[in-house]
Amino acid sequence: MTFSIHGITVSRGIAIGRAVPVVSSRVDVAHYFIEPGQTQAEFTRLRAARDAVAGELQRLQQDMSKEDSPPELAALLDVHLMLLNDETMAAGIRQCISERLYNAEWALTTQLEIISRQFDEMQDPYLRERKADMEQVAERVLRHLKGAAAQPVATPPPRAARQQDLPLDGAPDAPLVLVAHDLSPADMLQFKKSVFAGFVTDVGGKTSHTAIVARSMDIPAVVGARSASQLVRQDDWVIVDGDAGVVIVDPSPIILAEYGFKQRQAELERGRLARLKNTPAVTLDGQRIELLANIEQPADTAAALAVGAVGVGLFRSEFLFMGREGQLPDEDEQYLAYRAAVEGMHGMTTTIRTIDIGADKPLDDRRADTHLNPALGLRAIRWSLSEPAMFLTQLRAILRAAAHGQVHLLIPMLTHGREIRQTLELIDKARAQLDARGQVHGPVKIGAMIEVPAAALSLRLFLRYFDFLSVGTNDLIQYTLAIDRADESVAHLYDQLHPAVLRLLANTIAEGARQGKPISVCGEMAGDPGMTRLLLGLGLRSFSMHPSQILAVKQEILRADAAKLAPWAHAVAESDEPAELLLG
Ligand code: PEP
Ligand code: MG
């Protein structure tokens, strides 16, 4: 039966495919595809983990028989041993490994989900309660698997090659759509270049970092789709309508045909936009606009060049640090990554932002931030200043990479004058340390992100110390409106057209221009073609966004007359109801 789930649109386009649910578990579970030749090794890992758990349970039983334990406990361990050896579960896991090429952990959680649903449907309350036992047994196995984890496939096999390997019911070549309760930004990054044609998550907001990575992958995605991970089952046909923020499950042939048509139209539009790659971004009245790329990894520079970006306006360096279970990259590893990005841009400017960890970007995958208000806590530069040795390591790596090309150094979330001075002192110290070692480094321009209202309201301070500013509208909106950008329950209040946001933005652009300092916008607003005319009219001349958005924004620029837009844009920014002027 066809039904639809409404969420939040984060990445445009339409994906039609079979659902692959990724089940969340209390144990941190890696999801990756194995190579066909690795299935035996995966069976062996699984068997070893199962044997270890059986040994554990048997030892517990022996210990209990020596003590005076209640007989119910012994019976419970019997149940656990029985469930551990359940042949239906084992066969399902083996099938997921051998046919779908899931790693053992993923296969186990997928099968657990299927069996859990069967338990939920049971009439007998005693049997229904055995679901919790099944989960406990599975978690024991997962913990052992984690201890003996195989290396994830860094780059899962490309889509075309993989699809033939997946014998999905009656549709061996069907694209795959990943459905999850939540995905961390690090998970998302792991799925980059993977087989998935679309993403759906229950939680998340438009500018949550998971959504941002999905957007950078240029794959249709819907977040905040509430209970999608519970409603959608393995191999269900789903349509991800990234334009409308809707997921359609089990679509009828008429709906499928309609969406197939829309997909082809979108392809044609893409083809048309691709022709703009080498057209200079100049407005009708001759204003040259700088279109820069936001990247998460050095390899993303290829996508930036492919759409004609003239530099990198934001390299979110924290992605090098995430999901490494405490093993942070050392100076040389970071240097090589930054250098790869700089060289990847062939001499064009690469703006490297120092680590912005915290809030919805935890260092370790799924390790919950236990602070009460993580977005207001030890995040970004606050974290860096609290870990000076780590920060100096990063600064030295960036300064060394600057010897290979033009580097801008960007500092996130600065608020106080003393934070600014401390940061600049540490940059000087990093330089001095390199000099003392006799190590080559290059000059950098230093910029601050304006993403806290306090910073936007004390621009003089920032302009005194910095060579350039970059407005992080994602956080500026979050902090101005007191809306957690990652929380779908308040996503309807996240408003880039709120008068307070527009006033802060307009004032920052104007003040920068008055003092002759370059101002860029690198938040998601810069990549929204619906905002291009407004930003141009407010005087913005440098936009940084995901490569996938550059050509659509360029098209708007080519059609705009910046001088004519100026009075209208300032009226919008001063209005109490900007949305009415902009959209109406
Ligand atoms: C922003 O806040 O707008 C920004 C670009 O930084 P991030 O999204 O990484 O927080
Ligand atoms: Mg930010």
Coordinates of all heavy atoms in Angstrom, one line a residue, residues 209 316 353 356 361 379 412-413 449 451 472-476 479 485, ligand 2:
H209 N 24.7 18.9 10.4 CA 25.9 18.5 9.6 C 25.7 17.3 8.8 O 26.3 17.1 7.7 CB 27.1 18.5 10.5 CG 27.6 19.8 10.9 ND1 27.1 20.5 12.0 CD2 28.4 20.7 10.2 CE1 27.7 21.7 12.0 NE2 28.4 21.9 10.9
R316 N 36.1 22.2 5.8 CA 35.7 21.9 7.1 C 36.7 20.8 7.7 O 36.4 19.6 7.6 CB 34.3 21.3 7.2 CG 33.2 22.4 6.9 CD 31.8 21.7 7.1 NE 30.7 22.7 7.2 CZ 30.0 23.2 6.2 NH1 30.2 22.7 5.0 NH2 29.0 24.0 6.5
R353 N 39.5 25.9 7.4 CA 38.9 26.3 8.7 C 39.5 25.4 9.8 O 39.5 24.2 9.6 CB 37.4 26.2 8.7 CG 36.8 26.6 10.1 CD 35.3 26.6 10.1 NE 34.8 25.3 10.0 CZ 33.5 25.0 10.0 NH1 32.6 26.0 9.9 NH2 33.1 23.8 9.9
D356 N 36.3 22.5 13.9 CA 35.0 22.9 14.5 C 34.3 21.7 15.0 O 33.4 21.1 14.3 CB 34.2 23.7 13.4 CG 32.8 24.1 14.0 OD1 32.5 23.9 15.2 OD2 32.1 24.8 13.2
K361 N 28.7 17.6 15.8 CA 29.8 17.0 15.1 C 30.7 16.4 16.2 O 31.8 17.0 16.5 CB 30.6 18.0 14.3 CG 30.0 18.3 13.0 CD 30.8 19.3 12.2 CE 30.7 20.7 12.7 NZ 31.3 21.7 11.8
R379 N 32.7 24.2 21.9 CA 32.7 23.9 20.5 C 33.7 24.8 19.8 O 34.1 25.8 20.2 CB 31.3 24.3 20.1 CG 30.8 23.5 18.9 CD 29.6 24.2 18.2 NE 29.9 24.3 16.8 CZ 29.1 24.8 15.9 NH1 27.9 25.3 16.3 NH2 29.5 24.9 14.7
P412 N 36.7 29.4 13.4 CA 35.2 29.4 13.7 C 34.8 29.9 15.0 O 35.5 29.7 16.0 CB 34.9 27.8 13.6 CG 36.2 27.2 14.0 CD 37.3 28.1 13.7
M413 N 33.6 30.4 15.1 CA 32.8 30.7 16.3 C 33.5 31.6 17.3 O 33.3 31.5 18.5 CB 32.5 29.4 17.0 CG 31.1 29.4 17.6 SD 30.8 27.9 18.5 CE 29.7 28.5 19.7
M449 N 35.2 33.6 11.3 CA 33.8 33.3 10.9 C 32.9 34.2 11.8 O 33.2 34.4 13.0 CB 33.5 31.9 11.1 CG 34.2 31.0 10.1 SD 33.4 29.4 10.0 CE 31.9 29.7 9.2
E451 N 29.6 34.0 13.1 CA 28.5 33.0 13.3 C 27.8 33.1 14.6 O 26.9 32.4 14.9 CB 28.9 31.6 12.9 CG 30.2 31.2 13.4 CD 30.6 29.8 12.9 OE1 29.9 29.2 12.1 OE2 31.7 29.3 13.2
G472 N 29.0 32.6 8.7 CA 28.5 31.2 8.8 C 27.0 31.4 9.1 O 26.6 31.4 10.3
T473 N 26.2 31.4 8.1 CA 24.8 31.7 8.4 C 24.1 30.6 9.1 O 23.1 30.8 9.8 CB 24.0 32.0 7.0 OG1 24.4 31.0 6.1 CG2 24.4 33.4 6.5
N474 N 24.6 29.3 8.9 CA 23.9 28.2 9.6 C 23.9 28.4 11.1 O 22.9 28.3 11.8 CB 24.6 26.9 9.3 CG 24.8 26.7 7.8 OD1 24.0 27.2 7.1 ND2 25.8 25.9 7.5
D475 N 25.1 28.8 11.6 CA 25.2 29.0 13.1 C 24.6 30.4 13.4 O 24.0 30.6 14.5 CB 26.6 28.9 13.6 CG 26.9 27.4 13.8 OD1 26.1 26.7 14.4 OD2 28.0 27.0 13.4
L476 N 24.8 31.4 12.6 CA 24.3 32.7 12.9 C 22.8 32.7 13.1 O 22.2 33.3 14.0 CB 24.7 33.7 11.8 CG 24.4 35.2 12.1 CD1 25.1 35.7 13.3 CD2 24.7 36.1 10.9
Y479 N 22.0 30.7 16.4 CA 22.2 31.4 17.7 C 21.3 32.7 17.8 O 21.0 33.1 18.8 CB 23.7 31.7 17.8 CG 24.6 30.5 18.0 CD1 25.7 30.3 17.1 CD2 24.3 29.6 19.0 CE1 26.5 29.1 17.3 CE2 25.1 28.4 19.1 CZ 26.1 28.2 18.3 OH 26.9 27.1 18.4
R485 N 19.9 23.8 15.3 CA 19.8 23.5 13.8 C 19.7 22.0 13.5 O 19.3 21.6 12.4 CB 21.0 24.1 13.1 CG 22.3 23.5 13.6 CD 23.5 24.4 13.1 NE 24.1 23.8 11.9 CZ 25.3 24.2 11.5 NH1 26.0 25.1 12.1 NH2 25.8 23.7 10.4
Ligands
MG2 MG 29.3 27.1 11.8

